[in-house]
C-alpha cells in the first residue's frame, strides 16, 4: 500500500514537473517572439522615416506610427509575461486596447486627409521592398504568438498577436497603395485600404473594452 502511494506521489510530481517545463518553454518562446517584433519595428521606424521623407508618402509615415504602437504592445506583453495575476493581464489588455484606438484614429484622420487633399506622392522602391518583407515577417510572428498564447492560455499574448496581424495587414495595404500608385497612378488606393484597417482596429477595441474575456 505504501509503495502504491509513493508511486502515485512520484507520478504526480513527474506530471507537474513536465507541465512546468512545458510552460517555461512556451514562456521563453513568447519572450523570443516579442523581442523579435521589437527589434524588427525599431529598425522599421528608421527605414520608414527615410522612405516617407524621400517619397513624401503619407501612408509610409502612418505605417511608422503603427510600428511605434507595435513596439508599445510588445513591451506590454513582455511586462505581462514577467509576472502573473489576472489584474496584471487586465491592465495589459487595456494598454493594448489603447494602442488599437490610437491606430484607428490616426488611420481615419490620415486616410480622410489624403482623399480630401488628393495628395499625390512620389514612387518609393525602398517602401515597396520594406513593406513586402515586413508583411511576411509580421504574419509569421502573429501565427507564432497565436499558437503560443493559446497553449499558455494567455489572453494578452493572443491579443497582441492580433496587433501583429493588423500590422501585417497594414503592411499589405501600404504595399498595394505603393504599387498601384507606381504602376497605375491610383493614389487613392492606399487611403481606401486604410478605412478597412480602421474597422479591424475598432473591432479589437470593442472586444477588449466591452466584451467579456
Amino acid at each position: 500500500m505504501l509503495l502504491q502511494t509513493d508511486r502515485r506521489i512520484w507520478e504526480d510530481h513527474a506530471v507537474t514537473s513536465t507541465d512546468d517545463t512545458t510552460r517555461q518553454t512556451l514562456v521563453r518562446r513568447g519572450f523570443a517572439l516579442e523581442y523579435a517584433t521589437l527589434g524588427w519595428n525599431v529598425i522599421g521606424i528608421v527605414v520608414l522615416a527615410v522612405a516617407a521623407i524621400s517619397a513624401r508618402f503619407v501612408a509610409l509615415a502612418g505605417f511608422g506610427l503603427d510600428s511605434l504602437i507595435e513596439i508599445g504592445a510588445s513591451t506590454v506583453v513582455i511586462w505581462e509575461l514577467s509576472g502573473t495575476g489576472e489584474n496584471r493581464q487586465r491592465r495589459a489588455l487595456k494598454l493594448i486596447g489603447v494602442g488599437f484606438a490610437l491606430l484607428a484614429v490616426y488611420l481615419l484622420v490620415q486616410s480622410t486627409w489624403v482623399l480630401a487633399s488628393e495628395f499625390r506622392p512620389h514612387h518609393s522602391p525602398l517602401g515597396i521592398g520594406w513593406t513586402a518583407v515586413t508583411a511576411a515577417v509580421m504574419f509569421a510572428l502573429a501565427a507564432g504568438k497565436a499558437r503560443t498564447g493559446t497553449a499558455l492560455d494567455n489572453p494578452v499574448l493572443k491579443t497582441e498577436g492580433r496587433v501583429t496581424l493588423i500590422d501585417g495587414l497594414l503592411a499589405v495595404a501600404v504595399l498595394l497603395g505603393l504599387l498601384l500608385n507606381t504602376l497605375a497612378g491610383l493614389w487613392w488606393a492606399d487611403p481606401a485600404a486604410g478605412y478597412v484597417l480602421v474597422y479591424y482596429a475598432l473591432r479589437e477595441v470593442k472586444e477588449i473594452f466591452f466584451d467579456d474575456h
Side-chain angles (χ1 to χ4, degrees):
M1 189 69 175
L2 289 174
L3 290 175
Q4 291 178 347
T5 302
D6 291 341
R7 180 178 180 182
R8 189 178 301 111
I9 293 173
W10 180 85
E11 289 176 346
D12 290 342
H13 177 73
V15 170
T16 301
S17 298
T18 301
D19 291 342
D20 289 343
T21 300
T22 300
R23 181 172 181 81
Q24 290 173 2
T25 300
L26 290 169
V27 169
R28 286 196 296 270
R29 185 185 303 167
F31 276 118
L33 289 166
E34 294 304 331
Y35 282 123
T37 304
L38 274 173
W40 186 271
N41 282 291
V42 168
I43 296 172
I45 289 174
V46 178
V47 174
L48 290 167
V50 173
I53 292 172
S54 61
R56 299 177 61 197
F57 208 96
V58 176
L60 285 171
F63 193 41
L65 178 61
D66 174 73
S67 296
L68 281 174
I69 294 174
E70 178 69 18
I71 288 172
S74 294
T75 302
V76 166
V77 176
I78 291 171
W79 167 71
E80 193 276 334
L81 287 174
S82 300
T84 57
E86 188 176 344
N87 289 334
R88 174 170 281 203
Q89 285 190 347
R90 281 200 295 265
R91 289 196 299 269
L93 282 170
K94 287 180 180 179
L95 288 172
I96 293 175
V98 170
F100 270 121
L102 291 173
L103 178 59
V105 170
Y106 182 85
L107 287 172
L108 181 63
V109 172
Q110 172 191 283
S111 299
T112 302
W113 181 83
V114 170
L115 285 174
S117 63
E118 297 186 5
F119 185 83
R120 299 177 184 272
H122 302 157
H123 304 322
S124 178
L126 175 61
I128 290 173
W130 180 258
T131 51
V133 177
T134 295
V137 171
M138 291 300 110
F139 289 145
L141 288 172
K145 291 175 186 180
R147 288 194 299 269
T148 305
T150 299
L152 284 170
D153 193 24
N154 188 306
V156 177
L157 184 56
K158 288 189 289 186
T159 299
E160 204 279 321
R162 292 198 294 270
V163 178
T164 306
L165 177 62
I166 288 183
D167 196 30
L169 291 172
L170 182 55
V172 172
V174 175
L175 175 61
L176 289 175
L178 288 164
L179 289 173
L180 291 174
N181 176 67
T182 298
L183 300 176
L186 301 179
W187 57 270
W188 48 263
D190 176 62
Y195 286 125
V196 176
L197 291 169
V198 168
Y199 165 76
Y200 282 107
L202 290 177
R203 188 178 67 175
E204 294 301 328
V205 171
K206 175 180 177 297
E207 181 175 339
I208 290 172
F209 286 105
F210 302 105
D211 293 350
D212 294 330
H213 296 286

